[in-house]
Short mmCIF file of all heavy atoms in Angstrom, two decimals:
data_model
loop_
_atom_site.label_atom_id
_atom_site.label_comp_id
_atom_site.label_asym_id
_atom_site.label_seq_id
_atom_site.Cartn_x
_atom_site.Cartn_y
_atom_site.Cartn_z
N LYS A 9 -11.68 -22.92 -5.02
CA LYS A 9 -12.02 -21.58 -4.55
C LYS A 9 -13.13 -21.00 -5.43
O LYS A 9 -13.00 -20.97 -6.65
CB LYS A 9 -10.77 -20.68 -4.62
CG LYS A 9 -11.05 -19.21 -4.46
CD LYS A 9 -11.34 -18.85 -3.02
CE LYS A 9 -11.83 -17.42 -2.89
NZ LYS A 9 -12.34 -17.13 -1.55
N ILE A 10 -14.21 -20.62 -4.80
CA ILE A 10 -15.34 -20.07 -5.55
C ILE A 10 -15.61 -18.64 -5.09
O ILE A 10 -15.75 -18.39 -3.90
CB ILE A 10 -16.60 -20.94 -5.34
CG1 ILE A 10 -16.33 -22.38 -5.80
CG2 ILE A 10 -17.81 -20.36 -6.08
CD1 ILE A 10 -17.41 -23.37 -5.43
N TYR A 11 -15.64 -17.71 -6.04
CA TYR A 11 -16.04 -16.34 -5.71
C TYR A 11 -17.55 -16.21 -5.85
O TYR A 11 -18.16 -16.85 -6.70
CB TYR A 11 -15.37 -15.33 -6.67
CG TYR A 11 -13.89 -15.13 -6.43
CD1 TYR A 11 -12.95 -15.49 -7.39
CD2 TYR A 11 -13.43 -14.54 -5.26
CE1 TYR A 11 -11.59 -15.28 -7.18
CE2 TYR A 11 -12.07 -14.33 -5.03
CZ TYR A 11 -11.17 -14.71 -5.99
OH TYR A 11 -9.81 -14.50 -5.79
N ASN A 12 -18.16 -15.39 -5.02
CA ASN A 12 -19.60 -15.11 -5.08
C ASN A 12 -20.45 -16.37 -5.03
O ASN A 12 -21.38 -16.54 -5.82
CB ASN A 12 -19.95 -14.31 -6.34
CG ASN A 12 -19.10 -13.06 -6.46
OD1 ASN A 12 -18.93 -12.33 -5.49
ND2 ASN A 12 -18.54 -12.83 -7.64
N ASN A 17 -23.43 -14.57 -10.18
CA ASN A 17 -22.09 -14.37 -10.73
C ASN A 17 -21.06 -15.29 -10.08
O ASN A 17 -19.87 -14.98 -10.04
CB ASN A 17 -21.66 -12.91 -10.61
CG ASN A 17 -21.69 -12.41 -9.18
OD1 ASN A 17 -22.22 -13.09 -8.29
ND2 ASN A 17 -21.13 -11.25 -8.93
N GLU A 18 -21.51 -16.43 -9.57
CA GLU A 18 -20.61 -17.41 -8.97
C GLU A 18 -19.50 -17.79 -9.96
O GLU A 18 -19.77 -17.97 -11.14
CB GLU A 18 -21.42 -18.66 -8.57
CG GLU A 18 -20.58 -19.74 -7.95
CD GLU A 18 -21.45 -20.88 -7.38
OE1 GLU A 18 -22.32 -20.61 -6.53
OE2 GLU A 18 -21.25 -22.02 -7.82
N PHE A 19 -18.27 -17.89 -9.46
CA PHE A 19 -17.16 -18.19 -10.34
C PHE A 19 -16.14 -19.07 -9.64
O PHE A 19 -15.65 -18.75 -8.56
CB PHE A 19 -16.48 -16.89 -10.81
CG PHE A 19 -15.37 -17.12 -11.78
CD1 PHE A 19 -15.65 -17.39 -13.11
CD2 PHE A 19 -14.04 -17.09 -11.36
CE1 PHE A 19 -14.61 -17.63 -14.01
CE2 PHE A 19 -13.01 -17.32 -12.26
CZ PHE A 19 -13.29 -17.58 -13.59
N GLU A 20 -15.85 -20.20 -10.29
CA GLU A 20 -14.89 -21.14 -9.71
C GLU A 20 -13.48 -20.76 -10.18
O GLU A 20 -13.09 -21.05 -11.31
CB GLU A 20 -15.24 -22.56 -10.15
CG GLU A 20 -14.61 -23.60 -9.28
CD GLU A 20 -15.00 -25.03 -9.70
OE1 GLU A 20 -15.88 -25.19 -10.56
OE2 GLU A 20 -14.40 -25.97 -9.17
N ALA A 21 -12.73 -20.11 -9.31
CA ALA A 21 -11.42 -19.57 -9.71
C ALA A 21 -10.29 -20.58 -9.55
O ALA A 21 -9.30 -20.53 -10.27
CB ALA A 21 -11.11 -18.31 -8.91
N LEU A 22 -10.44 -21.52 -8.60
CA LEU A 22 -9.46 -22.61 -8.45
C LEU A 22 -10.22 -23.93 -8.44
O LEU A 22 -11.20 -24.09 -7.72
CB LEU A 22 -8.66 -22.45 -7.15
CG LEU A 22 -7.79 -21.21 -6.98
CD1 LEU A 22 -7.12 -21.21 -5.61
CD2 LEU A 22 -6.75 -21.09 -8.09
N THR A 38 3.17 -19.54 -12.87
CA THR A 38 2.93 -18.81 -14.12
C THR A 38 1.53 -19.13 -14.64
O THR A 38 0.86 -20.03 -14.14
CB THR A 38 3.96 -19.21 -15.20
OG1 THR A 38 3.80 -20.60 -15.48
CG2 THR A 38 5.39 -18.96 -14.74
N GLY A 39 1.13 -18.39 -15.65
CA GLY A 39 -0.17 -18.62 -16.27
C GLY A 39 -0.72 -17.31 -16.81
O GLY A 39 -0.28 -16.23 -16.41
N LYS A 40 -1.69 -17.43 -17.72
CA LYS A 40 -2.26 -16.24 -18.36
C LYS A 40 -3.01 -15.36 -17.35
O LYS A 40 -3.37 -15.82 -16.27
CB LYS A 40 -3.25 -16.68 -19.45
CG LYS A 40 -2.61 -17.40 -20.61
CD LYS A 40 -3.43 -17.14 -21.88
CE LYS A 40 -2.76 -17.76 -23.09
NZ LYS A 40 -3.03 -19.22 -23.21
N SER A 41 -3.28 -14.14 -17.75
CA SER A 41 -4.07 -13.22 -16.93
C SER A 41 -5.45 -13.85 -16.69
O SER A 41 -6.07 -14.37 -17.61
CB SER A 41 -4.23 -11.89 -17.67
OG SER A 41 -4.98 -11.00 -16.89
N GLY A 42 -5.88 -13.84 -15.44
CA GLY A 42 -7.18 -14.41 -15.09
C GLY A 42 -7.13 -15.91 -14.80
O GLY A 42 -8.14 -16.52 -14.49
N ALA A 43 -5.94 -16.51 -14.88
CA ALA A 43 -5.82 -17.96 -14.68
C ALA A 43 -6.08 -18.37 -13.23
O ALA A 43 -6.44 -19.51 -12.95
CB ALA A 43 -4.42 -18.43 -15.09
N GLY A 44 -5.87 -17.44 -12.30
CA GLY A 44 -6.10 -17.77 -10.88
C GLY A 44 -4.85 -17.66 -10.02
O GLY A 44 -4.84 -18.12 -8.88
N LYS A 45 -3.81 -17.03 -10.54
CA LYS A 45 -2.53 -16.95 -9.82
C LYS A 45 -2.65 -16.16 -8.51
O LYS A 45 -2.23 -16.63 -7.46
CB LYS A 45 -1.45 -16.32 -10.72
CG LYS A 45 -1.25 -17.04 -12.04
CD LYS A 45 -0.19 -16.38 -12.90
CE LYS A 45 -0.48 -14.94 -13.28
NZ LYS A 45 -1.65 -14.77 -14.17
N SER A 46 -3.22 -14.96 -8.61
CA SER A 46 -3.35 -14.14 -7.39
C SER A 46 -4.29 -14.81 -6.40
O SER A 46 -4.05 -14.78 -5.19
CB SER A 46 -3.87 -12.74 -7.73
OG SER A 46 -2.92 -12.04 -8.51
N THR A 47 -5.35 -15.43 -6.92
CA THR A 47 -6.28 -16.15 -6.05
C THR A 47 -5.54 -17.23 -5.27
O THR A 47 -5.70 -17.36 -4.05
CB THR A 47 -7.40 -16.80 -6.90
OG1 THR A 47 -8.05 -15.76 -7.66
CG2 THR A 47 -8.42 -17.51 -6.04
N LEU A 48 -4.70 -17.99 -5.99
CA LEU A 48 -3.92 -19.05 -5.35
C LEU A 48 -2.98 -18.46 -4.30
O LEU A 48 -2.86 -18.99 -3.19
CB LEU A 48 -3.13 -19.79 -6.43
CG LEU A 48 -2.17 -20.88 -5.95
CD1 LEU A 48 -2.92 -21.98 -5.21
CD2 LEU A 48 -1.40 -21.49 -7.13
N LEU A 49 -2.35 -17.35 -4.64
CA LEU A 49 -1.43 -16.71 -3.70
C LEU A 49 -2.16 -16.27 -2.43
O LEU A 49 -1.65 -16.42 -1.32
CB LEU A 49 -0.77 -15.50 -4.37
CG LEU A 49 0.44 -14.97 -3.63
CD1 LEU A 49 1.70 -15.59 -4.22
CD2 LEU A 49 0.53 -13.47 -3.71
N HIS A 50 -3.37 -15.74 -2.60
CA HIS A 50 -4.14 -15.29 -1.44
C HIS A 50 -4.54 -16.46 -0.54
O HIS A 50 -4.57 -16.32 0.68
CB HIS A 50 -5.36 -14.48 -1.88
CG HIS A 50 -4.99 -13.21 -2.58
ND1 HIS A 50 -5.84 -12.55 -3.44
CD2 HIS A 50 -3.84 -12.49 -2.57
CE1 HIS A 50 -5.22 -11.47 -3.92
NE2 HIS A 50 -4.01 -11.42 -3.41
N ASP A 56 -7.26 -15.48 2.00
CA ASP A 56 -8.57 -15.92 1.52
C ASP A 56 -8.83 -17.35 1.94
O ASP A 56 -7.91 -18.16 2.04
CB ASP A 56 -8.62 -15.84 -0.01
CG ASP A 56 -9.12 -14.49 -0.49
OD1 ASP A 56 -9.51 -13.66 0.37
OD2 ASP A 56 -9.11 -14.27 -1.71
N GLN A 91 0.58 -7.59 -5.60
CA GLN A 91 0.70 -7.20 -7.00
C GLN A 91 0.81 -5.68 -7.15
O GLN A 91 1.52 -5.19 -8.01
CB GLN A 91 -0.50 -7.75 -7.79
CG GLN A 91 -0.33 -7.72 -9.29
CD GLN A 91 -1.26 -8.68 -10.01
OE1 GLN A 91 -2.20 -9.23 -9.45
NE2 GLN A 91 -1.00 -8.89 -11.29
N ASP A 167 3.68 -11.41 -5.74
CA ASP A 167 2.78 -11.40 -6.89
C ASP A 167 3.32 -10.43 -7.95
O ASP A 167 3.28 -9.22 -7.75
CB ASP A 167 1.38 -10.96 -6.43
CG ASP A 167 0.29 -11.38 -7.42
OD1 ASP A 167 0.64 -11.74 -8.55
OD2 ASP A 167 -0.89 -11.34 -7.03
N GLU A 168 3.84 -10.97 -9.03
CA GLU A 168 4.41 -10.18 -10.13
C GLU A 168 5.39 -9.11 -9.62
O GLU A 168 5.24 -7.92 -9.96
CB GLU A 168 3.30 -9.50 -10.94
CG GLU A 168 2.44 -10.44 -11.74
CD GLU A 168 3.10 -10.93 -13.04
OE1 GLU A 168 4.29 -10.59 -13.28
OE2 GLU A 168 2.45 -11.68 -13.78
N ILE A 198 4.98 -15.23 -8.38
CA ILE A 198 4.10 -15.24 -9.54
C ILE A 198 4.75 -14.38 -10.61
O ILE A 198 5.18 -13.27 -10.34
CB ILE A 198 2.72 -14.64 -9.19
CG1 ILE A 198 1.97 -15.57 -8.25
CG2 ILE A 198 1.91 -14.39 -10.46
CD1 ILE A 198 0.59 -15.07 -7.89
N HIS A 200 4.84 -13.61 -15.18
CA HIS A 200 4.51 -13.97 -16.55
C HIS A 200 5.77 -13.94 -17.40
O HIS A 200 5.71 -14.14 -18.61
CB HIS A 200 3.44 -13.03 -17.12
CG HIS A 200 3.90 -11.62 -17.23
ND1 HIS A 200 3.58 -10.66 -16.30
CD2 HIS A 200 4.70 -11.00 -18.13
CE1 HIS A 200 4.16 -9.52 -16.63
NE2 HIS A 200 4.86 -9.71 -17.73
N ILE A 214 -0.55 -22.44 -14.06
CA ILE A 214 -1.99 -22.49 -13.84
C ILE A 214 -2.70 -22.05 -15.11
O ILE A 214 -2.29 -21.08 -15.74
CB ILE A 214 -2.41 -21.49 -12.72
CG1 ILE A 214 -1.54 -21.64 -11.48
CG2 ILE A 214 -3.88 -21.59 -12.40
CD1 ILE A 214 -1.96 -22.71 -10.57
N GLY A 217 -7.71 -21.97 -13.63
CA GLY A 217 -7.90 -22.45 -12.26
C GLY A 217 -7.39 -23.86 -12.00
O GLY A 217 -7.61 -24.42 -10.94
N1 ATP B 301 -12.96 -10.85 -5.71
C1 ATP B 301 -13.33 -11.49 -6.83
N2 ATP B 301 -14.64 -11.70 -7.10
C2 ATP B 301 -15.01 -12.36 -8.22
N3 ATP B 301 -14.15 -12.86 -9.13
C3 ATP B 301 -12.85 -12.68 -8.92
C4 ATP B 301 -12.36 -11.98 -7.76
N4 ATP B 301 -11.01 -11.96 -7.82
C5 ATP B 301 -10.68 -12.60 -8.96
N5 ATP B 301 -11.77 -13.03 -9.62
C6 ATP B 301 -11.80 -13.79 -10.88
O1 ATP B 301 -11.06 -14.99 -10.72
C7 ATP B 301 -10.22 -15.25 -11.85
C8 ATP B 301 -8.79 -15.36 -11.41
O2 ATP B 301 -8.35 -14.08 -10.95
P1 ATP B 301 -6.88 -13.83 -10.45
O3 ATP B 301 -6.81 -12.45 -9.94
O4 ATP B 301 -6.51 -14.92 -9.52
O5 ATP B 301 -6.08 -13.99 -11.81
P2 ATP B 301 -4.51 -13.82 -12.11
O6 ATP B 301 -4.04 -15.12 -12.69
O7 ATP B 301 -3.82 -13.33 -10.91
O8 ATP B 301 -4.50 -12.71 -13.27
P3 ATP B 301 -3.46 -11.51 -13.54
O9 ATP B 301 -2.28 -12.14 -14.25
O10 ATP B 301 -4.21 -10.61 -14.47
O11 ATP B 301 -3.10 -10.86 -12.26
C9 ATP B 301 -10.50 -14.13 -12.84
O12 ATP B 301 -11.43 -14.59 -13.79
C10 ATP B 301 -11.09 -13.03 -12.00
O13 ATP B 301 -12.00 -12.27 -12.74
#
Side-chain angles (χ1 to χ4, degrees):
K9 167 75 189 170
I10 301 171
Y11 287 116
N12 306 314
N17 58 349
E18 180 172 303
F19 183 78
E20 198 178 351
L22 297 178
T38 63
K40 294 210 176 81
S41 181
K45 304 180 300 294
S46 295
T47 303
L48 176 61
L49 195 94
H50 296 158
D56 270 355
Q91 194 160 13
D167 200 345
E168 291 282 4
I198 291 182
H200 64 261
I214 310 277

